[in-house]
Amino acid sequence: MARALELAALGLCGASPNPMVGAVIIDAEGHLAGEGYHAVFGGPHAEVMALEEAGDAARDGTLYVTLEPCAHHGKTPPCTDAVLAAGLKRVVIALAEPTTTAGGGIDRLRAEGIEVQEGPGSERARILNRRWLRWAQFNRPWVTLKTAVSLDGRIATRTGESMWITGGEARHRGLELREEHDAILVGVDTVVADDPQLTRRLGLNPGGGWKRFILDSTLRCPGDARLVREQPETTVIAHTAEASAEDRRRLSESGVILVELRAGDDGRIDLDALLDYMAAHEVAALLVEGGPTVHGSFHDADLIDEIALFMAPFLIGGPSPATVAGRGIPTLDMARRFDFEAVERHGHDMEIRAVRAEDVCSRD
């Protein structure tokens, strides 16, 4: 199972919004016969890849797989059909399928006389697929907040200079995060100030479906912004009913996707409505790269699951902005706790990763 989990992790850039799954087949004599992993959304599943490699050697053998084989016909046929056709004698599963849509594989295998064991490697499998589990079980994307700060927690100088706080190695790691997620989000202020591209550019993710979201309640986004001019079909601008008909027409003619969502009490886009829309459009993992206002909105709504904070080894000082604005909390006992998960060095800079301090597939 340890090898199957290693293989599953290879799908980090490509499998979403499907889970990362790895599979290993041991023949009847105890020898490795085949292995595979789910590499890209819509592509062959791990079990099918391993069975194709094993061929006839799979008969009377054992399949080790990190997630229960699916029993439904989605983008590919049910994996349980392939397992049964191969003549396997035993299947060992790390994690049971959490959804009713794809579940039922274990019951079907047992009904056909195959020995099924559940549990080995389950905790590692849950952590590996926590982003997908949030989406699959709660119909919400996993939200990762990414930011770069100085040692004193500033994101820009007092004159607004912010490019670049971190060096090239840290920025490359930030681009890797884009390859791991299904969509990226910024606020319209970031679009106006920086005119970003927000593209995947490392070639690590063979899948498609990359979306770029802009929070823009009244549709202030410039028509000549790169997010509007370049690959407009991948840009989704979320707005409220306050947006004028003229601005709606102006931007819709460019080819971007306009989505009207309800406003919250503050008049801004209701983030619950936004995440509901994303979940329905196969966004299982969202990377938030906005400024302090956007970060503060997600913090105030208690919607942050993971933080990737890149820290540069210098001080800025003064009245410079911090990374999270919003209402903030009145007392420390109300703070949402995160668990430090990793600290890595990228050139002169540090990356600190923290994850919401709760079970990986539940929410308070």
Side-chain angles (χ1 to χ4, degrees):
M1 186 60 74
R3 175 56 181 165
L5 288 163
E6 288 179 0
L7 290 167
L10 297 177
L12 178 62
C13 299
S16 187
N18 276 351
M20 290 179 278
V21 182
V24 174
I25 294 174
I26 304 298
D27 68 18
E29 304 300 322
H31 303 124
L32 176 65
E35 57 184 30
Y37 70 97
H38 185 47
V40 61
F41 178 61
H45 287 192
E47 302 95 313
V48 172
M49 298 292 288
L51 288 168
E52 286 182 354
E53 184 173 295
D56 292 340
R59 185 161 299 278
D60 292 329
T62 298
L63 167 67
Y64 292 85
V65 62
T66 58
L67 182 68
E68 176 183 352
C70 62
H72 78 304
H73 198 298
K75 290 185 178 295
T76 61
C79 289
T80 48
D81 288 356
V83 171
L84 292 170
L88 288 159
K89 185 176 182 179
R90 181 168 174 257
V91 177
V92 182
I93 297 167
L95 191 64
E97 168 63 47
T99 69
T100 56
T101 301
I106 289 175
D107 291 341
R108 186 176 175 208
L109 293 175
R110 284 176 172 158
E112 296 291 337
I114 293 180
E115 177 189 346
V116 178
Q117 180 184 354
E118 301 177 60
S122 61
E123 185 62 21
R124 176 59 187 153
R126 285 158 60 89
I127 292 172
L128 186 67
N129 275 307
R130 61 191 175 198
R131 294 171 180 167
W132 173 75
L133 285 167
R134 172 75 78 237
W135 178 63
Q137 291 186 291
F138 295 92
N139 200 33
R140 284 289 183 87
W142 177 277
V143 176
T144 302
L145 187 151
K146 178 253 179 183
T147 189
V149 301
S150 61
L151 276 174
D152 52 342
R154 310 293 184 174
I155 63 169
T157 68
R158 60 184 174 85
T159 62
E161 182 183 353
S162 61
M163 297 174 66
W164 297 98
I165 286 181
T166 54
E169 292 91 337
R171 295 201 299 275
H172 187 276
R173 170 59 188 149
L175 292 176
E176 290 179 348
L177 285 172
R178 294 185 185 180
E179 306 277 340
E180 298 174 14
H181 290 74
D182 304 311
I184 190 169
L185 179 143
V186 297
V188 67
D189 289 340
T190 295
V191 177
V192 172
D194 299 335
D195 194 19
Q197 289 180 292
L198 305 183
T199 53
R200 285 177 178 163
R201 61 194 74 165
L202 300 182
L204 301 178
N205 194 318
W210 176 244
K211 288 289 187 289
R212 306 174 298 176
F213 282 81
I214 304 172
L215 293 180
D216 187 5
S217 298
T218 58
L219 290 182
R220 294 188 291 115
C221 184
D224 61 353
R226 287 194 288 185
L227 286 170
V228 175
R229 291 186 290 108
E230 302 169 6
Q231 299 178 302
E233 70 280 359
T234 68
T235 298
V236 182
I237 305 180
H239 63 89
T240 69
E242 293 301 311
S244 70
E246 179 183 349
D247 285 325
R248 295 181 197 222
R249 183 171 55 253
R250 171 179 63 86
L251 288 166
S252 64
E253 289 175 352
S254 71
V256 301
I257 302 167
L258 297 182
V259 178
E260 181 180 322
L261 299 171
R262 67 175 180 265
D265 295 337
D266 59 1
R268 294 174 177 166
I269 292 163
D270 184 283
L271 294 181
D272 286 320
L274 175 70
L275 294 185
D276 286 345
Y277 172 86
M278 290 182 176
H281 289 79
E282 296 185 333
V283 175
L286 171 67
L287 183 65
V288 176
E289 282 197 14
T293 300
V294 170
H295 291 170
S297 295
F298 275 87
H299 173 256
D300 289 343
D302 194 24
L303 292 172
I304 300 170
D305 296 299
E306 182 176 358
I307 299 170
L309 186 146
F310 296 86
M311 181 172 286
F314 56 76
L315 303 172
I316 291 179
S320 308
T323 189
V324 178
R327 296 189 306 271
I329 56 171
T331 60
L332 290 177
D333 64 347
M334 296 178 66
R336 164 60 61 188
R337 298 291 175 174
F338 290 79
D339 292 327
F340 288 118
E341 189 168 72
V343 177
E344 297 179 4
R345 186 162 183 165
H346 306 287
H348 295 294
D349 307 312
M350 301 296 292
E351 176 190 2
I352 301 171
R353 289 199 302 279
V355 177
R356 191 181 180 96
E358 61 178 23
D359 186 84
V360 296
C361 59
S362 68
R363 180 179 282 283
D364 290 352

